[in-house]
Amino acid sequence: MNSFMARLQSGKGYLLSAFIVAGLQTLILGTIIQSRASILRDGAEVLLKTAPVDPRDFLRGDYVVLNYAISLVPVQTIAGGIPAEPGELTLWVRLRRQQDGFWTVIESSFKALPPQPETVVLRSLPFYSSGPSVVDNIFVEYGIERYYVPEGEGKPIEEARNDGNVAIAVRVSPDGSAQIRSLLVDGKPVYDEPLY
């Protein structure tokens, strides 16, 4: 133990400590980047139609606020109903491609949904529920409600979004996590997300 402490107190010990810390930081950062890249590379792709957002809240800094039709999940699609106990919940939402190419909610559950052919399951971000209520829809977010754009380029996208001309291609991992792959205006890609 004393020889280890003596080495740490020497110049070589500080250098060794610095390399270990740098290596750990690199490993953690690499893991974060790789997890996002693996979803973009290997995830199932779905096309989502955006919906207008209150015009007083359009652009906050350098990102565009996005809202999706699949964010309003019909209560009638929830298998097993809404849990009676209030608390923080996560909703799994099954999507199926429609004839127009966009994906829509066909089933949801507060328990993980098993995979089925020609469907994708998205996992919502955790949200607070006060228990069963008399509503037709539950509003959920998936972590894909902001799209960062180069400075000053958000206004035309917001205008196209409000006209119903913006769609988002999303990649979904097997665990239901989603990442935006590209932003489309009038069906044409305007921005594509790089893997790294």
Side-chain angles (χ1 to χ4, degrees), residues 111-175:
K111 296 180 182 173
L113 292 168
Q116 288 183 1
E118 299 183 19
T119 67
V120 170
V121 176
L122 269 176
R123 184 183 71 229
S124 78
L125 296 178
F127 63 95
Y128 183 81
S129 171
S130 56
S133 60
V134 201
V135 295
D136 294 332
N137 299 300
I138 294 178
F139 179 79
V140 297
E141 293 183 339
Y142 302 100
I144 52 173
E145 287 72 25
R146 293 182 185 179
Y147 190 78
Y148 292 87
V149 296
E151 191 170 336
E153 294 186 19
K155 230 16 165 180
I157 295 170
E158 291 169 347
E159 290 168 2
R161 175 202 60 204
N162 292 339
D163 292 339
N165 299 327
V166 172
I168 302 295
V170 174
R171 290 287 177 118
V172 182
S173 71
D175 74 351

Side-chain angles (χ1 to χ4, degrees), residues 3 20 32 41 50 65 107 116 118 130 144 153 170 186 196:
S3 65
I20 291 171
I32 292 168
R41 183 182 57 243
T50 59
V65 177
E107 177 185 16
Q116 288 183 1
E118 299 183 19
S130 56
I144 52 173
E153 294 186 19
V170 174
D186 294 323
Y196 296 98

